[in-house]
Amino acid sequence: MSTTDSTSTTSAAQERGSRVPAPREQGFRPGRRAVVVAVGAAGAAVALSACGADGSDAKGGSEAKSGTVLGSTGDVPEGGGKVFAEQGVVVTQPTAGEFKAFSSTCTHQGCAVSGVTNGAITCPCHQSTFDPATGEPTGGPATVALPAKEIKVADGSITLA
């Protein structure tokens, strides 16, 4: 029986047999499932943000149109190459007078390749390397070749075909 006396320690809810939450239980307390999902989502966000974290363009430039002038043959050193970032293309010259072109977007996670050094097209995000003559991966986590791009070389000029 309840009493309206303010000195009574028994509440109406207790008399009915209802559980009265302790003060620390009255706020929001996420369950285990909610905590696991939140931690997993946060971990995934951190892992995915690693690509391009060095400031490189994660998309590797825009898709350039046929006829777009990339540069001159003098811009591409023999045994090396040059990245045309705005066009999303890397052009290499594996041997004298032989020019190859590939997408500048790394096939691992979409970062832009940074250049051609030590005989390899390199990606700064996870250190994947690609053969400058074929675009095939030669090291790092990438397992798929860079897609080839068609180019025309005429009168010392390199254009997209």
Side-chain angles (χ1 to χ4, degrees):
M1 309 279 166
S2 79
T3 173
T4 57
D5 186 356
S6 63
T7 59
S8 172
T9 58
T10 305
S11 71
Q14 288 172 326
E15 282 186 21
R16 288 190 309 267
S18 299
R19 183 176 172 273
V20 176
R24 63 179 165 75
E25 294 178 318
Q26 289 176 351
F28 173 74
R29 289 186 54 192
R32 284 185 202 155
R33 183 175 292 164
V35 171
V36 169
V37 168
V39 169
V46 169
L48 292 175
S49 69
C51 286
D54 64 347
S56 68
D57 179 8
K59 294 181 183 172
S62 62
E63 191 67 27
K65 296 179 182 175
S66 178
T68 300
V69 176
L70 297 174
S72 75
T73 55
D75 294 337
V76 184
E78 182 181 342
K82 177 173 173 64
V83 176
F84 296 92
E86 287 184 27
Q87 295 82 10
V89 178
V90 57
V91 176
T92 63
Q93 186 178 186
T95 60
E98 176 190 19
F99 294 89
K100 303 282 185 166
F102 306 96
S103 168
S104 65
T105 303
C106 180
T107 57
H108 174 238
Q109 288 191 342
C111 294
V113 298
S114 60
V116 182
T117 55
N118 298 322
I121 300 169
T122 57
C123 178
C125 293
H126 300 103
Q127 290 69 51
S128 289
T129 57
F130 301 87
D131 185 295
T134 64
E136 291 293 323
T138 57
T143 59
V144 176
L146 294 172
K149 298 283 188 173
E150 294 293 322
I151 55 171
K152 291 180 186 177
V153 179
D155 300 323
S157 181
I158 303 169
T159 60
L160 288 174

